[in-house]
């Protein structure tokens, strides 16, 4: 195994920060451990808190290539791992009609006819790699079975070629929105990280780093309002991504403080259901102007 | 590692932690414990917060288990030994300091106050040990919310507009209102009471502000309430830490921590727990759907060209064996009939969650609810936010309370059998959710028999402990003779039901 990507938790946090990803203590610690112990990382949490972004930041911070497998219902071996280039194989067979059987038999399952998909590419990569397996919960359970060998041994077995072992152990990040329960076998192979909404102080820094023009006081109120909305019983609670969107909306509207009219007009940026908007309007009493 | 003594005891400490987690229903294997020890060696003991995060990453498999883990971690890896505060304050001083900490959201101060609170108020009078409940009762932090809110606004005013000075008396409100706000927003607020001598009689939150209202003022009460909740948790964890020194650690780990989600009663579950249950229910609903799915359909589907070609590689590109497309499994009908009356209030929120979870996994779910008469509520369930309480809604819906607002299984089952029997077919599974408490009315077993004859299966889930069945007005045994009735009080039992008891086909 090559040298670890990070030398300490502080190093992990600083280098992630340098790529624009402000990590909480929990995130920095777990990312550091994943790098040092060489374990895959299973990241769960609400949508929009930066699960996928973490993989990108890890790649940038460790100067690695990034490979991504986006999962969806029906993603299979051929999309995830490898596929034989059938057309090319057929061409080879027809081109070799005069040739000997032995030539063709050995040749058509050579590397030349192999189409790499993300998992195989990660194993065969010649330089450090971050492999992101995004939204694994959307894929069928068979795919998890396929991943087990990769996640525990960092190798892949192709019947016709044999077992391929990773030269550079890739850093694997698996994300899930918990729309379905992942198998115990898969969970056991990973370090587990639950990313929740950041605390107010961190969220304020995240917003400021994305929207530098934002006034400090406005940023503070913004984050407080978002925090209060998350406490409500909403169908889709606003996430960090929405906070940032809202901040840039307010900046583009030249706002210097939150007033009910302004919030009412821009609520659609953070809330995506009509019932949620109604609930927030009641909670924040937006139909009444500020007193005084 | 800090000291040799600590490191030698460490493996035992990890094993004990693992054992305690298992006792709380968390699946922790040997490999996880080994991982935790490796994490510990990598991180060292310098930063407790990171150590906690690192061990959590190694041993936990799902976010819901984090609360139980945090409490156990405090017991096995205490933050400090002995008392953490030197100056033992008086009760009034604690209240004063806590009010300040709540107003300014000062977490470190709150933690110190929690330690001092346990020290001063938590000691059990006879015998050794500490009690969080006793300390919190004596301190009554919830009474400080209003004062803290008031103080937060005052200090906020002092920071925001430096001129006003932010004195808290009632009279400065009127003066303050006139001096600011040139934007021309009409002042809709009724004039504040201005006589000075009434201010002492007012609720603290009614005191007019000495500055203009800000939008965030509308939420600061909730924020302070959250801080009080966090303070309570701090007191509880400090109590556990102190108790761990004087009592048996393992016994404490077993008894002093509330049961995990799996074993908590549906009937008494609060809103926060229901939100957690929701995530647990979804995979269960999926399993339920899978168990009920029949695989008996034959017949061929279209050819899968890619896989046929792939298979033909072994015969040199000649497709000898065609591969057919996989067919989506057939999904059965599910009909839910739920008691929505007040007596099963807590259960009905769970019912709602279960119904919504099932909705995603069955192609055809029809949901009926009743208090005293039955109506279809499929669309309502789909529209409502997850975890919303159906009870209050049901008690205001005429179609469900045609015979009064107390539950009637007689009329509930009867109106279903008369009006909605067409919803059932030979592929339907009927799931009845309710406590079978009929307020001493007629059982109307004929209606239930009609339902169970027409459906393929009828299963009853009862949220009451089986020991309570047939006491009072419960008709559990009467109905239980006609259909399968299962006790289903918590997630563990629901899981058992789905995995083992559910009849298949």
């Amino acid at each position: 195994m090559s040298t670890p990507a990070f030398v300490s938790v502080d190093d992990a946090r600083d280098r992630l920060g340098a790529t624009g990803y402000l990590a909480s203590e929990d995130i920095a610690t777990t990312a550091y451990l994943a790098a040092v112990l060489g374990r895959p990382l299973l990241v769960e949490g609400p949508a929009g808190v930066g699960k996928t972004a973490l993989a990108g930041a890890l790649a940038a911070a460790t100067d690695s290539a990034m490979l991504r497998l986006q999962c969806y219902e029906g993603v299979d071996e051929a999309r995830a791992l490898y596929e034989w280039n059938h057309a090319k194989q057929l061409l080879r067979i027809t081109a070799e009609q005069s040739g000997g059987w032995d030539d063709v038999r050995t040749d058509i399952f050579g590397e030349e006819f192999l189409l790499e998909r993300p998992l195989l590419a990660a194993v065969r990569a010649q330089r450090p790699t971050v492999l992101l397996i995004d939204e694994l919960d959307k894929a069928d359970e068979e795919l998890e079975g396929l991943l087990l060998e990769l996640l525990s041994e960092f190798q892949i077995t192709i019947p016709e070629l044999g077992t391929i072992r990773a030269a550079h152990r890739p850093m694997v990040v698996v994300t899930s929105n918990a729309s379905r329960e992942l198998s115990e076998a898969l969970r056991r192979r990973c370090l587990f990280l639950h990313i929740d909404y950041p605390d107010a102080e961190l969220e304020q820094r995240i917003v400021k780093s994305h929207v530098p023009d934002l006034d400090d006081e406005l940023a503070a109120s913004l984050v407080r309002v978002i925090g209060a909305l998350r406490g409500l019983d909403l169908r889709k609670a606003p996430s960090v991504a929405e906070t940032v969107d809202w901040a840039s909306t307010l900046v583009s509207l030249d706002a210097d403080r939150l007033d009910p009219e302004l919030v009412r007009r821009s609520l659609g940026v953070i809330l995506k259901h009509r019932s949620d908007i109604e609930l927030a309007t009641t909670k924040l009493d937006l139909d009444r102007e500020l007193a005084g | 590692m800090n000291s040799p003594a600590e490191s030698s005891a460490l493996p035992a400490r990890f094993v004990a932690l693992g054992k305690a987690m298992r006792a709380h229903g968390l699946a922790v294997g040997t490999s996880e414990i080994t991982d935790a020890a490796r994490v510990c060696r990598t991180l060292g003991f310098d930063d407790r917060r990171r150590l906690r995060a690192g061990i959590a990453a190694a041993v936990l498999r799902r976010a819901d288990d984090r609360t139980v883990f945090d409490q156990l971690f405090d017991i096995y890896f205490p933050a400090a030994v002995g008392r953490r505060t030197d100056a033992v304050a008086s009760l009034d001083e604690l209240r004063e300091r806590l009010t300040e900490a709540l107003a300014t959201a000062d977490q470190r101060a709150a933690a110190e106050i929690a330690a001092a609170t346990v020290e001063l108020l938590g000691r059990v009078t006879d015998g050794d040990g500490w009690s969080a409940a006793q300390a919190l009762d004596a301190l009554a932090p919830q009474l400080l919310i209003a004062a803290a809110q008031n103080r937060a606004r005052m200090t906020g005013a002092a920071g925001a507009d430096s001129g006003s000075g932010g004195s808290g008396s009632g009279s400065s409100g009127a003066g303050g209102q006139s001096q600011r706000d040139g934007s021309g927003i009409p002042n809709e607020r009724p004039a504040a009471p201005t006589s000075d001598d009434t201010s002492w009689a007012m609720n603290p939150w009614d005191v007019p502000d000495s500055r203009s209202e800000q939008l965030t003022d509308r939420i600061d009460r909730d924020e302070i309430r959250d801080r009080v909740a966090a303070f309570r948790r701090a007191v509880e964890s400090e109590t556990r830490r102190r108790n761990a020194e004087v009592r048996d650690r393992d016994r404490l780990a077993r008894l002093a921590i509330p049961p995990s989600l799996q074993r908590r009663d549906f009937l008494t579950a609060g809103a926060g727990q229901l939100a957690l249950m929701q995530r647990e229910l979804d995979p269960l609903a999926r399993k339920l759907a899978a168990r009920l799915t029949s695989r008996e359909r034959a017949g061929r589907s279209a050819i899968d060209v890619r896989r046929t070609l792939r298979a033909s590689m072994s015969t040199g590109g000649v497709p000898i064996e065609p591969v057919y497309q996989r067919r989506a499994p057939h999904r059965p009908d599910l009909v839910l009939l739920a008691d929505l009356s007040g007596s099963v209030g807590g259960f009905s929120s769970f019912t709602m969650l279960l119904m919504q979870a099932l909705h995603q996994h069955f192609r055809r779910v029809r949901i009926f609810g009743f208090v005293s008469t039955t109506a279809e509520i499929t669309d309502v369930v789909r529209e409502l936010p997850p975890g919303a309480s159906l009870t209050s809604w049901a008690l205001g819906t005429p179609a469900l309370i045609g015979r009064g607002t107390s539950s009637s299984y007689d009329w509930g089952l009867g109106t279903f059998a008369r009006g909605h029997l067409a919803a059932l077919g030979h592929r339907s599974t009927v799931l009845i959710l309710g406590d079978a408490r009929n307020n001493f009315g007629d059982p109307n077993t004929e209606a239930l028999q009609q339902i169970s004859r027409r459906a393929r299966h009828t299963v009853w889930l009862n949220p009451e402990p089986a020991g309570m069945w047939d006491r009072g007005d419960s008709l559990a045994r009467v109905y239980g003779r006609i259909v399968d009735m299962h006790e289903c009080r918590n997630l563990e039992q629901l899981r058992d039901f789905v995995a083992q008891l559910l009849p298949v086909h």
Side-chain angles (χ1 to χ4, degrees):
Chain A
M1 218 186 110
S2 51
T3 51
F6 303 118
V7 295
S8 70
V9 179
D10 289 318
D11 182 42
R13 192 193 54 214
D14 294 345
R15 280 163 69 182
L16 286 174
T19 70
Y21 190 94
L22 301 181
S24 69
E25 286 282 297
D26 281 19
I27 295 174
T29 307
T30 319
Y32 165 70
L33 286 172
V36 173
L37 302 179
R39 294 279 295 274
L41 193 56
L42 171 61
V43 189
E44 286 191 340
V49 290
K51 301 190 293 291
T52 306
L54 174 61
L58 279 172
T62 57
D63 194 24
S64 309
M66 166 111 162
L67 287 162
R68 177 172 182 162
L69 173 65
Q70 179 68 50
C71 296
Y72 51 89
E73 205 171 331
V75 65
D76 60 359
E77 201 181 74
R79 290 269 154 247
L81 201 53
Y82 68 93
E83 193 169 18
W84 292 106
N85 191 338
H86 306 310
K88 210 170 169 189
Q89 281 172 326
L90 284 174
L91 272 176
R92 170 94 169 105
I93 292 164
T94 42
E96 283 283 336
Q97 285 201 325
S98 53
W101 161 246
D102 283 332
D103 291 346
V104 179
R105 189 187 60 187
T106 52
D107 282 358
I108 60 166
F109 289 116
E111 302 227 346
E112 193 189 345
F113 300 96
L114 197 61
L115 291 175
E116 254 179 14
R117 302 293 182 218
L119 299 188
L120 182 60
V123 167
R124 297 212 300 182
Q126 289 306 308
R127 50 172 297 210
T129 311
V130 170
L131 170 64
L132 167 65
I133 301 171
D134 211 4
E135 305 190 22
L136 182 59
D137 53 327
K138 300 273 194 308
D140 304 315
E141 272 170 88
E142 290 95 71
L143 188 70
E144 282 181 40
L146 196 68
L147 285 175
L148 294 181
E149 184 186 8
L150 174 72
L151 293 182
S152 54
E153 310 291 332
F154 289 96
Q155 65 180 32
I156 279 173
T157 305
I158 298 175
E160 295 88 346
L161 284 181
T163 301
I164 302 174
R165 183 173 276 280
H168 291 268
R169 189 177 258 225
M171 191 184 275
V172 185
V173 178
V174 181
T175 76
S176 157
N177 277 327
S179 74
R180 128 183 119 71
E181 194 79 343
L182 300 179
S183 71
E184 284 300 318
L186 184 109
R187 287 176 179 277
R188 283 199 41 229
R189 283 165 171 78
C190 302
L191 288 178
F192 178 76
L193 172 65
H194 179 80
I195 303 187
D196 215 329
Y197 301 119
D199 59 30
E201 188 264 335
L202 178 59
E203 183 157 26
Q204 218 168 307
R205 283 199 289 137
I206 294 173
V207 171
K208 286 285 286 181
S209 80
H210 282 89
V211 190
D213 294 342
L214 190 69
D215 174 59
D216 278 339
E217 211 168 299
L218 183 59
S221 340
L222 194 85
V223 166
R224 283 178 65 190
V225 169
I226 292 273
L229 291 177
R230 282 180 194 142
L232 298 180
D233 200 2
L234 297 178
R235 280 174 71 179
K236 164 81 182 72
S239 193
V240 182
E242 273 88 34
T243 318
V244 171
D245 281 353
W246 201 28
S248 47
T249 308
L250 293 183
V251 165
S252 68
L253 288 175
D254 274 338
D256 54 354
R257 62 171 205 149
L258 291 178
D259 67 61
E261 166 63 20
L262 181 70
V263 174
R264 201 169 49 220
R265 268 195 297 151
S266 57
L267 213 49
V269 179
I270 42 176
L271 299 177
K272 312 292 161 127
H273 292 278
R274 199 172 54 85
S275 58
D276 287 359
I277 292 181
E278 282 165 11
L279 192 61
T281 309
T282 324
K283 172 70 195 171
L284 294 172
D285 204 1
L286 292 181
D287 293 330
R288 183 171 65 79
E289 288 301 330
L290 290 175
Chain B
M1 313 237 167
N2 278 353
S3 65
E6 200 165 2
S7 60
S8 65
L10 211 53
R13 191 69 64 90
F14 277 115
V15 171
L17 173 67
K19 212 171 143 194
M21 287 178 70
R22 261 174 245 137
H24 280 277
L26 274 54
V28 188
T30 313
S31 65
E32 276 92 343
I33 297 301
T34 317
D35 276 356
R38 284 170 71 199
V39 164
C40 199
R41 199 184 57 201
T42 314
L43 290 177
F45 287 92
D46 300 338
D47 188 327
R48 187 153 179 280
R49 190 162 167 208
R50 286 177 181 171
L51 184 65
R52 183 197 290 263
I55 294 180
V59 299
L60 288 186
R61 296 292 160 250
R62 43 186 58 83
D64 301 339
D65 299 338
R66 181 69 194 243
T67 26
V68 172
F69 168 80
D70 276 344
Q71 297 172 20
L72 290 172
F73 182 84
D74 282 336
I75 290 177
Y76 287 97
F77 296 86
V81 180
R83 46 191 263 204
R84 283 198 291 181
T85 48
D86 297 327
V88 174
S90 69
L91 181 57
D92 284 342
E93 190 192 334
L94 281 181
R95 286 207 179 115
E96 168 59 27
R97 277 167 62 193
L98 182 58
T99 311
E100 183 64 28
L102 291 175
T104 55
D106 188 342
Q107 289 175 9
R108 186 176 302 170
E112 279 167 21
I113 298 165
T117 303
V118 174
E119 181 70 39
L120 181 71
L121 306 168
R123 185 182 283 280
V124 179
T125 42
D126 42 350
D128 51 350
W130 309 84
S131 160
Q134 178 187 311
L136 287 169
D137 279 352
L139 186 69
Q142 69 279 5
L143 299 183
L144 304 176
I145 293 176
Q149 185 187 18
N150 217 27
R151 187 173 304 190
R153 286 189 192 179
M154 292 307 152
T155 49
D161 36 38
S162 50
S164 76
S167 80
S169 72
S171 62
S172 74
Q177 275 176 8
S178 60
Q179 76 176 19
R180 77 194 96 73
D181 203 39
S183 63
I185 296 169
N187 182 4
E188 294 175 357
R189 210 175 204 207
T194 45
S195 69
D196 278 341
D197 45 347
T198 58
S199 61
W200 58 270
M202 280 189 287
N203 279 328
W205 54 89
D206 285 341
V207 173
D209 304 329
S210 61
R211 62 180 173 88
S212 58
E213 188 190 13
Q214 290 173 4
L215 192 68
T216 45
D217 290 348
R218 294 175 184 179
I219 54 175
D220 59 6
R221 196 174 173 78
D222 292 339
E223 289 175 343
I224 293 171
R225 201 174 283 138
D226 287 347
R227 283 174 214 151
V228 169
F231 175 75
R232 286 177 167 274
R233 285 195 295 277
V235 169
E236 279 159 10
S237 95
E238 175 73 8
T239 313
R240 270 191 298 275
R241 181 183 77 79
R242 300 300 294 270
N243 279 332
E245 287 167 6
V246 292
R247 292 185 192 157
D248 178 15
R249 220 180 271 267
D250 296 333
R251 190 179 139 77
L252 190 70
R254 209 166 53 245
L255 298 176
I257 294 176
S260 75
L261 207 58
Q262 302 294 331
R263 302 189 193 157
R264 209 162 292 167
D265 266 17
F266 292 140
L267 275 172
T268 55
Q273 292 156 22
L274 283 167
L276 295 175
M277 275 184 193
Q278 187 187 356
R279 256 174 293 165
E280 294 282 313
L281 275 175
D282 199 57
L284 272 180
R286 193 166 51 93
K287 273 185 204 139
L288 188 68
R291 294 263 305 170
L292 290 172
T293 295
S294 89
R295 297 179 196 280
E296 59 202 349
R297 280 218 316 212
R300 286 185 164 170
S301 50
I303 284 183
D304 184 333
V305 176
R306 193 191 66 74
R307 295 189 347 160
T308 302
L309 281 177
R310 171 77 180 83
S312 74
M313 283 300 106
S314 55
T315 49
V318 183
I320 289 175
E321 238 179 308
V323 180
Y324 297 96
Q325 275 175 2
R326 275 188 222 151
R327 171 172 287 188
H330 141 82
R331 290 174 188 176
D333 298 350
L334 186 67
V335 176
L336 286 158
L337 179 59
D339 179 358
L340 300 176
S341 68
S343 65
V344 284
F347 185 60
S348 97
S349 308
F350 154 76
T351 306
M352 175 81 191
L353 290 180
L354 181 65
M355 290 190 290
Q356 280 174 334
L358 288 170
H359 213 282
Q360 296 165 14
H361 297 290
F362 285 84
R363 188 161 300 154
R364 288 207 288 159
V365 188
R366 293 186 71 181
I367 301 169
F368 297 86
F370 69 92
V371 176
S372 56
T373 50
T374 303
E376 176 155 12
I377 55 168
T378 311
D379 292 336
V380 180
V381 170
R382 196 182 302 141
E383 292 298 317
L384 276 177
S389 166
L390 273 179
T391 308
S392 51
W393 172 81
L395 291 176
T397 304
L400 299 178
I401 52 173
R403 291 270 157 183
T405 53
S406 50
S407 59
S408 162
Y409 280 78
D410 173 12
W411 282 94
L413 293 170
T415 43
F416 181 82
R418 272 201 304 282
H420 304 289
L421 217 51
L424 305 180
H426 65 282
R427 283 216 303 268
S428 308
T429 299
V430 180
L431 215 52
I432 304 178
L433 306 162
D435 60 2
R437 291 203 174 268
N438 196 26
N439 292 309
F440 301 103
D442 178 48
N444 197 356
T445 49
E446 175 54 31
L448 185 61
Q449 262 157 358
Q450 251 180 306
I451 294 169
S452 101
R453 267 201 303 274
R454 191 165 163 109
R456 183 180 203 149
H457 300 296
T458 308
V459 189
W460 193 310
L461 297 183
N462 192 328
E464 281 195 330
M468 303 273 286
W469 293 4
D470 267 358
R471 299 214 190 142
D473 59 345
S474 168
L475 291 169
R477 307 269 180 232
V478 178
Y479 291 136
R481 276 194 284 276
I482 302 167
V483 299
D484 285 339
M485 188 176 284
H486 300 282
E487 176 183 309
C488 181
R489 274 165 47 213
N490 53 34
L491 283 173
E492 203 170 55
Q493 285 180 333
L494 182 63
R495 176 162 300 164
D496 285 350
F497 166 72
V498 170
Q500 290 154 25
L501 304 169
L502 184 71
V504 184
H505 306 316

